[in-house]
Amino acid sequence: MLPIASSQLLLSLSAHWNAAHGQLQRYERAAGGDWEPVGAPVATVLGRCGMAWGRGLHPPVAGPSKREGDGRAPAGVFAVTALFGDGPPAAAFRLPYRPARPSLKCVDDPASAHYNCLVDTAHTHPDWASCEDMLRPDRRYALGAVVAHNTDPPAPGAGSCIFLHVWETPATPTAGCTAMALEDMRAL
């Protein structure tokens, strides 16, 4: 499941499928080495309804499946493909960075040709009925990472706009993402 060349891993666990809280542990390994934990586990909030199997690098698995609007974070093995935020990129970022601006959206309309994509409306003609604003006044997207759930190609209705991002509060679950404190997101 994991690409053989992987040298970094994020493991997010919860007590059970319906748990809206969990912990995330970072791991690293040298070429051919064992996975070693990095730092302490980080408290997270998950989807308000817990988790369900998502579409990622893992083969199909029996059990609850992630669906659009189900309030569940996807479980499985996923790449983290990009970063976004409302500030300038940090020199330490090793992934592509998308600055959030009013025109940056994530399309969650399964009928759109842009479903499950980050798009800039300054360069794209909207064909969707719903989307998420990536520049948010609540700063939950002050810094975030794109989780490659339901990509290549996206299956309409299988879930969209899945991110690691800043939580509203430690007690407030998400609509289907994994969220944590801003300082933990920065460390990640």
Side-chain angles (χ1 to χ4, degrees), residues 9-25:
L9 171 72
L10 303 173
L11 179 63
S12 180
L13 297 173
S14 66
H16 51 81
W17 283 110
N18 298 323
H21 294 82
Q23 286 195 324
L24 183 140
Q25 176 66 58

PDB file of all heavy atoms in Angstrom, residues 9-25:
ATOM      1  N   LEU A   9       5.348   9.443   7.146  1.00  0.00           N
ATOM      2  CA  LEU A   9       4.052   8.813   7.317  1.00  0.00           C
ATOM      3  C   LEU A   9       3.295   9.539   8.424  1.00  0.00           C
ATOM      4  O   LEU A   9       3.876   9.914   9.442  1.00  0.00           O
ATOM      5  CB  LEU A   9       4.254   7.337   7.705  1.00  0.00           C
ATOM      6  CG  LEU A   9       3.057   6.521   8.133  1.00  0.00           C
ATOM      7  CD1 LEU A   9       2.162   6.225   6.943  1.00  0.00           C
ATOM      8  CD2 LEU A   9       3.520   5.220   8.771  1.00  0.00           C
ATOM      9  N   LEU A  10       2.011   9.743   8.208  1.00  0.00           N
ATOM     10  CA  LEU A  10       1.114  10.269   9.235  1.00  0.00           C
ATOM     11  C   LEU A  10       0.111   9.170   9.537  1.00  0.00           C
ATOM     12  O   LEU A  10      -0.529   8.654   8.623  1.00  0.00           O
ATOM     13  CB  LEU A  10       0.368  11.505   8.727  1.00  0.00           C
ATOM     14  CG  LEU A  10       1.223  12.656   8.241  1.00  0.00           C
ATOM     15  CD1 LEU A  10       0.342  13.732   7.617  1.00  0.00           C
ATOM     16  CD2 LEU A  10       2.047  13.223   9.376  1.00  0.00           C
ATOM     17  N   LEU A  11      -0.030   8.818  10.786  1.00  0.00           N
ATOM     18  CA  LEU A  11      -0.973   7.779  11.196  1.00  0.00           C
ATOM     19  C   LEU A  11      -2.009   8.418  12.103  1.00  0.00           C
ATOM     20  O   LEU A  11      -1.685   8.927  13.180  1.00  0.00           O
ATOM     21  CB  LEU A  11      -0.249   6.649  11.922  1.00  0.00           C
ATOM     22  CG  LEU A  11      -1.127   5.511  12.431  1.00  0.00           C
ATOM     23  CD1 LEU A  11      -1.824   4.793  11.277  1.00  0.00           C
ATOM     24  CD2 LEU A  11      -0.294   4.536  13.249  1.00  0.00           C
ATOM     25  N   SER A  12      -3.254   8.412  11.652  1.00  0.00           N
ATOM     26  CA  SER A  12      -4.354   8.977  12.416  1.00  0.00           C
ATOM     27  C   SER A  12      -5.242   7.839  12.887  1.00  0.00           C
ATOM     28  O   SER A  12      -5.701   7.028  12.078  1.00  0.00           O
ATOM     29  CB  SER A  12      -5.162   9.944  11.533  1.00  0.00           C
ATOM     30  OG  SER A  12      -6.222  10.506  12.252  1.00  0.00           O
ATOM     31  N   LEU A  13      -5.479   7.783  14.191  1.00  0.00           N
ATOM     32  CA  LEU A  13      -6.279   6.701  14.775  1.00  0.00           C
ATOM     33  C   LEU A  13      -7.388   7.273  15.640  1.00  0.00           C
ATOM     34  O   LEU A  13      -7.238   8.328  16.253  1.00  0.00           O
ATOM     35  CB  LEU A  13      -5.395   5.798  15.639  1.00  0.00           C
ATOM     36  CG  LEU A  13      -4.269   5.052  14.934  1.00  0.00           C
ATOM     37  CD1 LEU A  13      -3.399   4.344  15.958  1.00  0.00           C
ATOM     38  CD2 LEU A  13      -4.821   4.077  13.918  1.00  0.00           C
ATOM     39  N   SER A  14      -8.498   6.526  15.701  1.00  0.00           N
ATOM     40  CA  SER A  14      -9.587   6.860  16.613  1.00  0.00           C
ATOM     41  C   SER A  14      -9.985   5.589  17.351  1.00  0.00           C
ATOM     42  O   SER A  14      -9.610   4.491  16.952  1.00  0.00           O
ATOM     43  CB  SER A  14     -10.783   7.442  15.845  1.00  0.00           C
ATOM     44  OG  SER A  14     -11.361   6.461  15.002  1.00  0.00           O
ATOM     45  N   ALA A  15     -10.756   5.752  18.414  1.00  0.00           N
ATOM     46  CA  ALA A  15     -11.147   4.605  19.243  1.00  0.00           C
ATOM     47  C   ALA A  15     -12.095   3.652  18.519  1.00  0.00           C
ATOM     48  O   ALA A  15     -12.078   2.449  18.756  1.00  0.00           O
ATOM     49  CB  ALA A  15     -11.783   5.094  20.546  1.00  0.00           C
ATOM     50  N   HIS A  16     -12.950   4.192  17.628  1.00  0.00           N
ATOM     51  CA  HIS A  16     -13.907   3.365  16.889  1.00  0.00           C
ATOM     52  C   HIS A  16     -14.414   4.164  15.692  1.00  0.00           C
ATOM     53  O   HIS A  16     -14.136   5.359  15.556  1.00  0.00           O
ATOM     54  CB  HIS A  16     -15.065   2.894  17.788  1.00  0.00           C
ATOM     55  CG  HIS A  16     -15.726   3.999  18.543  1.00  0.00           C
ATOM     56  ND1 HIS A  16     -16.682   4.828  17.994  1.00  0.00           N
ATOM     57  CD2 HIS A  16     -15.552   4.430  19.819  1.00  0.00           C
ATOM     58  CE1 HIS A  16     -17.070   5.710  18.893  1.00  0.00           C
ATOM     59  NE2 HIS A  16     -16.399   5.497  20.011  1.00  0.00           N
ATOM     60  N   TRP A  17     -15.163   3.527  14.785  1.00  0.00           N
ATOM     61  CA  TRP A  17     -15.636   4.156  13.548  1.00  0.00           C
ATOM     62  C   TRP A  17     -16.413   5.442  13.789  1.00  0.00           C
ATOM     63  O   TRP A  17     -16.357   6.360  12.982  1.00  0.00           O
ATOM     64  CB  TRP A  17     -16.520   3.192  12.749  1.00  0.00           C
ATOM     65  CG  TRP A  17     -15.759   2.141  12.022  1.00  0.00           C
ATOM     66  CD1 TRP A  17     -15.736   0.802  12.322  1.00  0.00           C
ATOM     67  CD2 TRP A  17     -14.896   2.309  10.896  1.00  0.00           C
ATOM     68  NE1 TRP A  17     -14.908   0.137  11.444  1.00  0.00           N
ATOM     69  CE2 TRP A  17     -14.387   1.036  10.556  1.00  0.00           C
ATOM     70  CE3 TRP A  17     -14.500   3.411  10.136  1.00  0.00           C
ATOM     71  CZ2 TRP A  17     -13.509   0.836   9.485  1.00  0.00           C
ATOM     72  CZ3 TRP A  17     -13.625   3.213   9.070  1.00  0.00           C
ATOM     73  CH2 TRP A  17     -13.143   1.939   8.765  1.00  0.00           C
ATOM     74  N   ASN A  18     -17.166   5.519  14.863  1.00  0.00           N
ATOM     75  CA  ASN A  18     -18.025   6.682  15.097  1.00  0.00           C
ATOM     76  C   ASN A  18     -17.389   7.760  15.976  1.00  0.00           C
ATOM     77  O   ASN A  18     -18.040   8.752  16.294  1.00  0.00           O
ATOM     78  CB  ASN A  18     -19.357   6.235  15.708  1.00  0.00           C
ATOM     79  CG  ASN A  18     -20.099   5.314  14.758  1.00  0.00           C
ATOM     80  OD1 ASN A  18     -20.069   5.492  13.547  1.00  0.00           O
ATOM     81  ND2 ASN A  18     -20.750   4.302  15.301  1.00  0.00           N
ATOM     82  N   ALA A  19     -16.133   7.580  16.361  1.00  0.00           N
ATOM     83  CA  ALA A  19     -15.448   8.558  17.208  1.00  0.00           C
ATOM     84  C   ALA A  19     -15.111   9.811  16.403  1.00  0.00           C
ATOM     85  O   ALA A  19     -14.601   9.732  15.289  1.00  0.00           O
ATOM     86  CB  ALA A  19     -14.177   7.955  17.796  1.00  0.00           C
ATOM     87  N   ALA A  20     -15.387  10.965  16.975  1.00  0.00           N
ATOM     88  CA  ALA A  20     -15.098  12.242  16.310  1.00  0.00           C
ATOM     89  C   ALA A  20     -13.765  12.836  16.773  1.00  0.00           C
ATOM     90  O   ALA A  20     -13.418  13.941  16.363  1.00  0.00           O
ATOM     91  CB  ALA A  20     -16.239  13.227  16.572  1.00  0.00           C
ATOM     92  N   HIS A  21     -13.033  12.110  17.619  1.00  0.00           N
ATOM     93  CA  HIS A  21     -11.734  12.572  18.096  1.00  0.00           C
ATOM     94  C   HIS A  21     -10.713  11.469  17.889  1.00  0.00           C
ATOM     95  O   HIS A  21     -11.057  10.284  17.880  1.00  0.00           O
ATOM     96  CB  HIS A  21     -11.805  12.933  19.585  1.00  0.00           C
ATOM     97  CG  HIS A  21     -12.687  14.109  19.837  1.00  0.00           C
ATOM     98  ND1 HIS A  21     -14.048  13.995  19.940  1.00  0.00           N
ATOM     99  CD2 HIS A  21     -12.403  15.417  19.969  1.00  0.00           C
ATOM    100  CE1 HIS A  21     -14.570  15.194  20.132  1.00  0.00           C
ATOM    101  NE2 HIS A  21     -13.591  16.073  20.156  1.00  0.00           N
ATOM    102  N   GLY A  22      -9.467  11.860  17.730  1.00  0.00           N
ATOM    103  CA  GLY A  22      -8.418  10.875  17.532  1.00  0.00           C
ATOM    104  C   GLY A  22      -7.060  11.442  17.870  1.00  0.00           C
ATOM    105  O   GLY A  22      -6.951  12.488  18.520  1.00  0.00           O
ATOM    106  N   GLN A  23      -6.050  10.738  17.412  1.00  0.00           N
ATOM    107  CA  GLN A  23      -4.667  11.167  17.583  1.00  0.00           C
ATOM    108  C   GLN A  23      -3.929  10.924  16.280  1.00  0.00           C
ATOM    109  O   GLN A  23      -4.197   9.950  15.569  1.00  0.00           O
ATOM    110  CB  GLN A  23      -3.968  10.398  18.692  1.00  0.00           C
ATOM    111  CG  GLN A  23      -4.389  10.800  20.072  1.00  0.00           C
ATOM    112  CD  GLN A  23      -3.419  10.276  21.105  1.00  0.00           C
ATOM    113  OE1 GLN A  23      -2.873   9.198  20.989  1.00  0.00           O
ATOM    114  NE2 GLN A  23      -3.197  11.066  22.146  1.00  0.00           N
ATOM    115  N   LEU A  24      -2.987  11.794  16.000  1.00  0.00           N
ATOM    116  CA  LEU A  24      -2.153  11.674  14.810  1.00  0.00           C
ATOM    117  C   LEU A  24      -0.704  11.577  15.256  1.00  0.00           C
ATOM    118  O   LEU A  24      -0.255  12.352  16.102  1.00  0.00           O
ATOM    119  CB  LEU A  24      -2.352  12.907  13.919  1.00  0.00           C
ATOM    120  CG  LEU A  24      -1.595  12.896  12.599  1.00  0.00           C
ATOM    121  CD1 LEU A  24      -2.479  13.471  11.508  1.00  0.00           C
ATOM    122  CD2 LEU A  24      -0.311  13.680  12.701  1.00  0.00           C
ATOM    123  N   GLN A  25       0.006  10.605  14.708  1.00  0.00           N
ATOM    124  CA  GLN A  25       1.433  10.431  15.014  1.00  0.00           C
ATOM    125  C   GLN A  25       2.217  10.545  13.712  1.00  0.00           C
ATOM    126  O   GLN A  25       1.846   9.941  12.708  1.00  0.00           O
ATOM    127  CB  GLN A  25       1.690   9.067  15.662  1.00  0.00           C
ATOM    128  CG  GLN A  25       3.155   8.772  15.930  1.00  0.00           C
ATOM    129  CD  GLN A  25       3.762   9.690  16.970  1.00  0.00           C
ATOM    130  OE1 GLN A  25       3.297   9.767  18.095  1.00  0.00           O
ATOM    131  NE2 GLN A  25       4.817  10.409  16.598  1.00  0.00           N
TER     132      GLN A  25
END
